Amino acid sequence: MPTGGSIVNLGDLTKPATVLIEKISEAIGGIFRPSQIRRIADAEAQAEKIKAISQIEITDLQRRAMYRFFSEEAKKQQNIESITAKALPELTEAATPEKLEDDWITNFFDKCRLISDEEMQTLWSKVLAGEASAPGHYSKRTINLLSSLDKSDAEMFRRLCSFGWYFGNIVPLVFDVGDQIYTQAGVDFDALKHLNEIGLISLESIGRFARTKLPQKIVVTYCGQGVAITFSEPQDNQLNIGSVLLSKAGQELASICGSVPVPGFLDYTIDKWKSEGLQIAALTQSPAVVQ
């Protein structure tokens, strides 16, 4: 990181991006304002002063501790600015970062300042941009849970969400975790048990979850592909949706985790539902309204 500089480009920003930077500045100390982005340079200058202090005034141990402090703070600062820089291009003109709560911002940056991995920073930046676009979408509890995840947890969750169908919310359809389509994608019982333990999903290891009180016909989607399901009864129908449900935090993170379609899973799911006596028809166009 260049001495005295900021990795956030302060020029040619959109209005929402400018407002977001101002909100962050107000909440965590004005880090990104042009008049204040020399915070790290000032810290480095102070470190040089410490280096010049005589042995009589400061011990080697104290000097090493001060160097470590400034080095750690510089890394945290770089992480904060990197995550913010990644979030700015994600903002739309309709974003309302001025509505962000200062407490939310403070908690967010307190948790993400230790994140240096590039991919994890991208995930954090999407959360920041998403909250700026729709304040209140990401709860503090979700932020706190995200801070406890390591990269392997995030990747495991991403793989699971690649099986996610949209029913008005995202539901990863896991009918039989031993089936090859799941195991080949790295989703097995141990993975599901782990995601359950860390609070991203609810796992029913014996029975199955179901959508109940459904009308005779519903439309659901998988990665944008609409599917119409027709039941035999005119009302009060139920649909088998497998053994996994996302927790509230899991729902909030599912749309930004980077999941991709699993080859063959659309047909696999349709075959499963057909085997239960349901009429299934793939739609040529994605529906405007999903039930």
Side-chain angles (χ1 to χ4, degrees):
M1 179 175 172
T3 301
S6 170
I7 60 176
V8 176
N9 184 356
L10 297 173
D12 299 324
L13 295 176
T14 64
K15 181 177 179 180
T18 301
V19 173
L20 177 59
I21 289 175
E22 291 173 351
K23 284 291 295 185
I24 294 171
S25 299
E26 293 170 2
I28 62 174
I31 293 172
F32 298 108
R33 297 187 185 209
S35 62
Q36 296 169 321
I37 59 178
R38 296 215 305 265
R39 179 181 176 187
I40 300 303
D42 292 342
E44 292 172 347
Q46 183 64 25
E48 290 301 317
K49 292 179 182 179
I50 292 170
K51 186 177 180 180
I53 296 176
S54 70
Q55 179 64 33
I56 297 176
E57 296 176 344
I58 187 169
T59 67
D60 284 340
L61 181 63
Q62 290 172 325
R63 185 180 296 110
R64 292 196 301 272
M66 292 298 290
Y67 274 127
R68 177 185 57 77
F69 171 78
F70 288 123
S71 177
E72 289 179 354
E73 287 303 303
K75 290 177 181 178
K76 292 174 184 177
Q77 179 71 15
Q78 188 173 35
N79 293 338
I80 287 172
E81 295 194 9
S82 179
I83 289 169
T84 301
K86 287 179 171 65
L88 298 182
E90 301 288 335
L91 298 176
T92 66
E93 288 293 339
T96 54
E98 66 275 7
K99 296 181 180 179
L100 283 172
E101 295 183 358
D102 287 350
D103 286 348
W104 188 94
I105 296 173
T106 301
N107 183 64
F108 177 88
F109 282 105
D110 180 62
K111 297 299 188 297
C112 76
R113 59 184 176 161
L114 299 178
I115 307 300
S116 58
D117 179 80
E118 191 79 13
E119 292 182 21
M120 292 300 289
Q121 284 189 354
T122 297
L123 183 59
W124 279 89
S125 71
K126 289 181 179 179
V127 171
L128 178 59
E131 184 69 12
S133 298
H137 181 74
Y138 293 100
S139 67
K140 288 183 181 179
R141 180 172 296 180
T142 297
I143 299 304
N144 295 342
L145 188 152
L146 179 59
S147 70
S148 71
L149 303 183
D150 58 29
K151 191 173 181 178
S152 63
D153 294 330
E155 173 59 21
M156 192 181 299
F157 184 64
R158 182 200 66 77
R159 292 197 300 266
L160 174 64
C161 288
S162 293
F163 295 96
W165 281 68
Y166 188 73
F167 291 77
N169 59 356
I170 298 173
V171 179
L173 299 184
V174 181
F175 297 108
D176 186 343
V177 72
D179 283 354
Q180 189 177 42
I181 197 162
Y182 300 113
T183 57
Q184 283 186 335
V187 174
D188 55 23
F189 181 75
D190 287 341
L192 295 180
K193 183 179 178 182
H194 178 69
L195 293 175
N196 179 69
E197 290 172 346
I198 64 178
L200 286 172
I201 68 171
S202 293
L203 174 64
E204 181 56 75
S205 58
I206 300 176
R208 293 289 182 269
F209 294 110
R211 285 294 175 100
T212 60
K213 299 185 182 301
L214 297 174
Q216 188 166 27
K217 184 176 181 178
I218 64 171
V219 173
V220 294
T221 61
Y222 177 65
C223 298
Q225 172 62 59
V227 172
I229 304 175
T230 304
F231 299 91
S232 57
E233 300 298 324
Q235 58 187 6
D236 291 332
N237 296 286
Q238 71 174 29
L239 179 68
N240 172 18
I241 55 173
S243 58
V244 172
L245 290 179
L246 296 180
S247 66
K248 185 177 184 297
Q251 282 289 342
E252 292 178 9
L253 296 174
S255 63
I256 61 169
C257 69
S259 59
V260 295
V262 176
F265 187 61
L266 176 67
D267 292 335
Y268 170 90
T269 306
I270 290 175
D271 289 342
K272 280 285 185 182
W273 284 333
K274 283 183 176 180
S275 71
E276 297 175 5
L278 303 177
Q279 295 181 35
I280 311 294
L283 304 179
T284 56
Q285 293 183 342
S286 296
V289 177
V290 178
Q291 297 184 18

